[in-house]
Amino acid sequence: MIAGLLTVATLLGAVGPTAPQRYRIEVKAQQEVDATALGGGKQNTDIGVIGFVTVTLSDTTGGRLAHIVIDSLLLSPGMEIPPGMTDEPGTAKGLFFHAYVVNGKVQGSLAPNTPHQLAGLIAGGVESLFPGVRAESKLGDTWSDTVKVDKTTEGTSTKSTTMVDWKVASGTAGSFTYDGVSTGKAVSEGPTPQGNRTVSANISGTRSLTGPAAGPITKGTFKTIQDVLVLMDGMTDPIPVAVVTEVTITALP
């Protein structure tokens, strides 16, 4: 993925980077797994990370290239590393994301250049710097965007549809505040060491962001609620999982 983006930059002729901009990105996630179908109880996991990143943009034909470096990463106050995670926050320093941005939206999914569990948690926050809102919008405008995903990765197929209803709530040309309400559904199927697994989810959320339509935004809050059902081969009842994710983005001086 990284090499592919660098190749794109070479072929399309990227020009010099714009002045770097620093951001604070905080991601909090709460997960509740109801294991009653397996004879267990409810299991709760909370995780929160704060990443300080520097974003440098380069213009290129058809879009922009974003280079996002993690300056530091730490756990949110009161949070601990969940069981099963082995990466320490301090080891994320210097890791980076590369993104190809077209019409203010990141193309494809983001991941740090080196696998890192905690750094991976802020990938969604990094992507949210470029929400891809309508460039020609003006104060008071409303519209709906629909995003569909149909892909297969390592034997797991994923199909999803998400709709966001947008409104330009305040601001002036060049830096509006956009409010959005999202709904969606997603289904993924694929093999695991325990057998075939099907995961279906109903998704809803809200978002409010301020900045230029082309991104990156200057501030934003995002909240996503997922009601998930996980069904494994041989199970008669699915396992309910509730996930709430909150992202807060702030541009730093």
Side-chain angles (χ1 to χ4, degrees), residues 4-186:
L5 289 173
L6 292 175
T7 301
V8 168
T10 301
L11 293 175
L12 297 182
V15 300
T18 59
Q21 172 66 56
R22 296 189 69 240
Y23 290 87
R24 179 187 187 274
I25 300 176
E26 181 168 16
V27 179
K28 293 183 178 180
Q30 299 175 312
Q31 176 180 280
E32 180 183 85
V33 179
D34 186 350
T36 303
L38 299 178
K42 294 183 177 180
Q43 304 169 3
N44 294 284
T45 303
D46 292 351
I47 181 63
V49 292
I50 301 172
F52 292 90
V53 304
T54 297
V55 179
T56 305
L57 295 170
S58 299
D59 290 331
T60 184
T61 305
R64 294 187 292 175
L65 298 175
H67 181 64
I68 303 103
V69 179
I70 298 176
D71 300 321
S72 62
L73 186 71
L74 59 151
L75 295 174
S76 298
M79 294 292 181
E80 297 181 354
I81 299 177
M85 283 193 173
T86 57
D87 293 325
E88 293 291 334
T91 61
K93 182 177 181 179
L95 299 184
F96 60 85
F97 303 84
H98 270 150
Y100 182 44
V101 182
V102 177
N103 296 326
K105 188 173 183 63
V106 172
Q107 304 301 294
S109 57
L110 291 183
N113 63 304
T114 299
H116 191 288
Q117 295 159 315
L118 294 176
L121 289 175
I122 69 166
V126 171
E127 185 175 338
S128 296
L129 288 167
F130 304 93
V133 293
R134 184 175 294 180
E136 68 274 16
S137 57
K138 60 184 182 300
L139 187 62
D141 277 0
T142 61
W143 72 93
S144 297
D145 287 335
T146 300
V147 178
K148 294 185 177 181
V149 174
D150 188 348
K151 64 180 182 180
T152 300
T153 304
E154 296 181 351
T156 297
S157 64
T158 301
K159 295 182 179 181
S160 68
T161 301
T162 303
M163 176 178 286
V164 184
D165 295 324
W166 288 105
K167 178 180 180 180
V168 184
S170 62
T172 58
S175 184
F176 285 118
T177 293
Y178 304 86
D179 292 338
V181 177
S182 61
T183 56
K185 293 181 179 293

